[in-house]
Structures are given as structure tokens and as C-alpha cells.
Amino acid sequence: MNHIHVSVIIPAYNREKTIKYCLDSVLGQSYPYFEVIIVDDASSDNTVNIIKSYQDERIKLIEQKENRGAQHCRNVGIKNAQYDWIAFLDSDDTWNNDKLAKQIEELKKWNTPYIVIHSDALLIDTINKEEKIFGISRTEGENVYPLLLTRPAPMFQAILTSKQALHEIGYLDENVPSYQEWDTSIRLAKICRFIQLPSPTFSYYYHTGETISKNKLRDLQGYDYIMTKFKADIFKYHGKRQWKQHLLIQYDKCMNWKMYKEAFHYLNLYPLCSKKIELYYEFFKDCIKNR
């Protein structure tokens, strides 16, 4: 009972092609003191049967009758967790076998539940057959709340935090269309210190299957949701300049994706200045070139 125990939360939906390598990476951890809570989001494929084929008492499967989304599944997992520490993993990604060991070693240095430990990732591009470090913007310190209002970080697959902290922020927001870990991190940053380990602890797989990250419209909607939700504090800590930067980020994404209707929307929201005139010129030039 002197060991720190962790509840690992994995939401899953139609992941028959990935759930085995995901689950194997958790069960193969060098640090053995954990449970695995898999919340299946009403899968229609063989995901549940694959999970049930494992004979490991650390695995707890919760089957949802209706599809409610990953955030809802994570909340169900947190509320059913029997341990004080929570770690997350997506059902199409994997942990390094020493992921928990490294985080627990760091956790023992701090006598507080108000902490978030995370890391960079290894990006495995299964489409282009490439592997590279996926660097997460440096997010570390006692008060990273103002910093997180400027850009996303970290990723769910790396996060280790306390059940108490998640309870105090009211659990995860289930209405966020995308950038769900960004929203969660911003809210945790109000009460938690962030620690970023110096090397990757998990692998993020880019594959042909369905993912939130490949849905461009959902990307824009999620970023908008967070901009709007935290607008008052963005202005409080950073002023109009940061708000303009967020609008520009959205505009640039739309232009790169040739989503001209959406790009024009952000262009109209951008404050009137010489920069806006330059953007209008760029916008119409690109529209004419690609019509």
C-alpha cells in the first residue's frame, strides 16, 4: 500500500484495428501498480470482444449504450476510478514501457495533488512510413495559465494528474468539439503546477482511420470554442494583440485548407488595420488562383 496506484482511462470507439497494441502497451508497463478502465462508446465493430479476450484483473470494461463522445467516456472513467491518480491514453496510441515509471518517479518529488506531469510524443506516421519527435510547446511551472491561453499543450496521452484536481475543475468539458486536452489543461492550470519530462513517453499514431485531428471543420470549431470560452481572460492577460493572433491562426489554417468561406469569416473579424488590407489582398489573390 506504500506504492502510488494509477487509474488509466482509455475511451474507445470502433478501434478493433488499434485497441490491442494500445492495451498491450499499458499492460507492458515496467511500473505495475495500476488499473485500466476502458470506456467503450457503443462500438459497432469487434472492439469489445477484443478487450474481453484479455484475462487480466487490472482491466475494467465499461460499455456505453449510446455514443456520447470521448470526453464523456473519460469522465465516466474518472468517476469509476478507484485510485487517486489518473492517466489518459487514446485507443489508437501507445505508451513507452517506462511511461508510468518516469512519471511516478517525478511525482514522488512533490507532496501535492495539484500537479500535471506530461511530455513530448513520438509521432508515428503509418501512412508515409515516418517517425519523428512531436515536440510539445514547453509548458512547465507553477502558473502556466496565462501561457496556455496563447496556444495548445499538452496532449492527453501524456497527462498524469490527480483525481482530486479533476474533480475540483468540474471534470472534463463534454461540449468541446476538438482541442479537448487544451481545454482541460487550461482549467487544470488554474490550480496545478505543470511538469514536462525531457523525452517522449508515448507514441502518437497518424493513420488512415477516423480521428478528430483530421476533421478540419471540427478543428476550427474546437479552437473557436476555446477562444470564446476564455475570451475574457485572453484579453485580461494578453490584450487585443493575442486575440488578433488567434484570429490569424484560424485564418491561416482556412487558407491552407482552401476553406475560403471560413477564411473570409475570420478576415472580417480581424480589426481594421494595414495588416487586414494585406490579408484581403492575399485572400482574393489565392481565391482567383484556385477558382
Side-chain angles (χ1 to χ4, degrees):
M1 295 303 295
N2 293 327
H3 297 290
I4 296 173
H5 287 69
V6 179
S7 294
V8 183
I9 312 299
I10 305 176
Y13 176 66
N14 287 350
R15 290 299 191 200
E16 63 180 7
K17 295 181 180 180
T18 65
I19 191 62
K20 188 178 188 305
Y21 68 66
C22 167
L23 193 48
D24 287 348
S25 77
V26 178
L27 298 177
Q29 289 294 296
S30 60
Y31 187 85
Y33 305 104
F34 61 85
E35 64 173 350
V36 189
I37 303 176
I38 307 170
V39 184
D40 181 77
D41 202 19
S43 292
S44 58
D45 65 359
N46 201 40
T47 299
V48 169
N49 289 332
I50 293 173
I51 297 168
K52 288 181 176 179
S53 71
Y54 283 82
Q55 302 298 313
D56 193 310
E57 62 183 11
R58 293 173 295 180
I59 298 175
K60 178 190 295 182
L61 172 63
I62 300 174
E63 297 181 63
Q64 297 283 102
K65 294 182 180 180
E66 298 179 1
N67 184 272
R68 300 283 299 276
Q71 288 288 83
H72 175 78
C73 290
R74 292 185 185 106
N75 279 336
V76 169
I78 295 166
K79 292 171 184 178
N80 281 274
Q82 64 173 315
Y83 298 132
D84 294 333
W85 292 94
I86 304 293
F88 299 99
L89 182 59
D90 288 350
S91 54
D92 56 346
D93 295 321
T94 60
W95 279 352
N96 297 0
N97 66 354
D98 60 352
K99 190 264 189 188
L100 285 180
K102 286 183 175 179
Q103 291 188 309
I104 296 301
E105 181 181 2
E106 182 64 34
L107 182 61
K108 288 178 178 178
K109 301 175 184 177
W110 305 90
N111 184 30
T112 176
Y114 301 108
I115 194 165
V116 174
I117 303 174
H118 69 105
S119 73
D120 288 346
L122 177 66
L123 173 62
I124 300 181
D125 186 340
T126 63
I127 298 174
N128 299 305
K129 310 299 181 184
E130 297 176 348
E131 294 186 11
K132 61 181 179 181
I133 299 296
F134 187 77
I136 304 298
S137 299
R138 199 72 192 167
T139 308
E140 186 168 46
E142 188 174 0
N143 181 22
V144 298
Y145 181 72
L147 177 63
L148 283 172
L149 294 173
T150 68
R151 76 324 185 250
M155 296 178 70
F156 265 132
Q157 302 92 315
I159 289 176
L160 174 71
T161 192
S162 69
K163 187 175 182 179
Q164 181 176 332
L166 292 165
H167 172 74
E168 288 192 21
I169 67 169
Y171 299 99
L172 310 187
D173 185 342
E174 298 182 13
N175 296 314
V176 188
S178 62
Y179 293 96
Q180 295 167 341
E181 54 264 85
W182 185 19
D183 176 83
T184 303
S185 296
I186 290 173
R187 294 162 62 223
L188 283 170
K190 289 184 176 182
I191 60 174
C192 290
R193 170 185 289 275
F194 277 55
I195 303 294
Q196 186 164 348
L197 299 179
S199 58
T201 61
F202 74 98
S203 294
Y204 171 67
Y205 287 76
Y206 184 75
H207 53 77
T208 56
E210 183 180 351
T211 62
I212 292 176
S213 62
K214 292 202 289 286
N215 188 321
K216 294 179 174 59
L217 183 57
R218 195 166 174 179
D219 181 292
L220 296 173
Q221 291 170 342
Y223 203 102
D224 267 355
Y225 184 95
I226 292 172
M227 284 174 58
T228 303
K229 181 176 180 178
F230 299 102
K231 183 176 181 178
D233 277 355
I234 291 172
F235 273 86
K236 175 183 175 181
Y237 287 97
H238 304 290
K240 185 183 292 186
R241 182 176 182 178
Q242 183 58 55
W243 184 254
K244 289 165 60 178
Q245 182 62 30
H246 283 311
L247 290 173
L248 189 58
I249 288 170
Q250 292 287 74
Y251 170 81
D252 285 342
K253 285 190 291 188
C254 292
M255 291 298 288
N256 289 333
W257 296 335
K258 302 190 185 307
M259 298 172 68
Y260 295 116
K261 179 181 177 181
E262 291 79 6
F264 194 67
H265 165 73
Y266 292 110
L267 188 53
N268 282 333
L269 292 177
Y270 200 85
L272 183 61
C273 59
S274 59
K275 176 67 174 178
K276 184 169 185 172
I277 296 172
E278 293 174 13
L279 294 175
Y280 268 121
Y281 176 76
E282 173 192 345
F283 174 80
F284 287 114
K285 185 175 69 174
D286 202 67
C287 286
I288 292 170
K289 183 177 70 175
N290 292 285
R291 67 181 178 180

